[in-house]
Amino acid sequence: MSTGNSVDIRQNIITTAEDHFIRYGFKRVTMDDIAREMSISKKTIYQFFKDKNEIVCAATEEHLRREEEQMDRLEQESENVIEFLVKCTKMIRQHVATVNPSAIMELQKYFPDGWQIFLNYKKKVFLNSLMRSLIRGQEDGYFRPDFNPEILAMLRMEEVQLCFDNRVFPRNRFDITEVQVQVFRHFIEGLMTAKGRELLEEYKKNLSPHETIF
């Protein structure tokens, strides 16, 4: 087996596992499921990963890396923080629609190593991105100047996780997409100045009939 092929197979295992974890949750997916989907043997998978936990960690890192790239791209392409938030809302809807609601809670409960990767991402990437956006909004006059960006960024991080908690928002009573969007709306509208709200209304006017921001 050549080095190039080895790299490809390992990456394909990660990609397949990530797709299954997102759709079905971390607990339900087995090594047999991954092998069957790829039409390979479990023995081949074990040549690259010693156990399921190691695959969970690799898939979690891959998913978060791609999410980081997407956030960076949206931030760079946005002319202002309001446009960035509009794009983030669309991204939230897309992500929530594709991710199994139980995935985050299962990662926390059953895979502590993968959960630590997620926590590190929250602290190093998500927190910094949020703080940049909040500070940018304050400097441009779209957000109130009287709040601490670090405190509000940390609050927002916890809100995201809370929305996936089935104990707080049971799946049989709440639509997870609606929960995430409404909580995000509550958070953002509490920060906006009149200038920020005015610009947001301008973006709303340019939406197609089937699109919504909040």
Side-chain angles (χ1 to χ4, degrees):
M1 183 182 297
S2 69
T3 302
N5 287 338
S6 297
V7 172
D8 291 342
I9 293 173
R10 185 180 190 279
Q11 184 58 50
N12 287 339
I13 293 171
I14 294 173
T15 301
T16 302
E18 180 195 352
D19 178 67
H20 276 54
F21 293 149
I22 287 175
R23 285 195 289 169
Y24 306 115
F26 287 94
K27 185 180 179 182
R28 177 180 170 184
V29 177
T30 66
M31 301 287 267
D32 285 315
D33 293 328
I34 298 170
R36 185 163 46 249
E37 178 67 21
M38 295 184 64
S39 298
I40 61 176
S41 67
K42 281 200 300 182
K43 182 179 179 180
T44 300
I45 294 179
Y46 283 120
Q47 291 178 4
F48 299 92
F49 301 95
K50 66 179 181 180
D51 53 27
K52 180 180 174 181
N53 180 69
E54 196 168 274
I55 296 181
V56 167
C57 290
T60 300
E61 287 180 336
E62 177 75 7
H63 182 78
L64 295 176
R65 179 193 60 77
R66 196 166 55 253
E67 189 172 278
E68 180 182 358
E69 291 177 351
Q70 186 175 5
M71 289 290 290
D72 287 342
R73 185 170 61 254
L74 292 182
E75 188 174 351
Q76 293 171 8
E77 293 174 351
S78 300
E79 294 184 6
N80 53 69
V81 70
I82 302 301
E83 181 181 354
F84 177 58
L85 293 174
V86 170
K87 292 178 178 179
C88 282
T89 305
K90 294 180 180 180
M91 187 180 76
I92 288 174
R93 289 184 182 276
Q94 293 170 352
H95 282 196
V96 174
T98 57
V99 175
N100 188 303
S102 65
I104 290 183
M105 303 309 296
E106 288 182 358
L107 185 66
Q108 180 180 16
K109 185 175 182 179
Y110 300 108
F111 301 96
D113 293 336
W115 180 246
Q116 190 59 52
I117 291 171
F118 177 73
L119 292 180
N120 291 340
Y121 169 83
K122 283 176 60 179
K123 293 177 182 178
K124 295 180 181 179
V125 179
F126 191 28
L127 179 63
N128 288 334
S129 177
L130 276 170
M131 287 181 61
R132 284 197 306 271
S133 297
L134 295 178
I135 292 171
R136 181 182 180 185
Q138 286 180 321
E139 291 175 345
D140 294 342
Y142 298 121
F143 291 162
R144 300 185 346 256
D146 59 347
F147 66 82
N148 184 314
E150 184 175 11
I151 293 176
L152 270 293
M154 293 177 70
L155 171 64
R156 176 58 190 155
M157 287 197 306
E158 297 307 312
E159 284 183 347
V160 172
Q161 186 175 329
L162 180 67
C163 291
F164 283 104
D165 194 330
N166 191 53
R167 297 166 301 178
V168 181
F169 298 105
R171 303 292 174 263
N172 61 346
R173 289 180 55 200
F174 299 97
D175 177 81
I176 189 63
T177 302
E178 189 66 20
V179 171
Q180 286 283 7
V181 171
Q182 285 204 22
V183 171
F184 185 55
R185 174 182 180 180
H186 179 271
F187 176 79
I188 292 301
E189 291 195 346
L191 305 179
M192 283 187 180
T193 60
K195 178 182 176 181
R197 293 176 187 277
E198 181 179 345
L199 183 57
L200 179 61
E201 290 302 316
E202 289 299 316
Y203 279 108
K204 287 182 178 180
K205 293 178 184 178
N206 295 323
L207 294 176
S208 61
H210 67 279
E211 284 186 309
T212 58
I213 297 177
F214 301 134

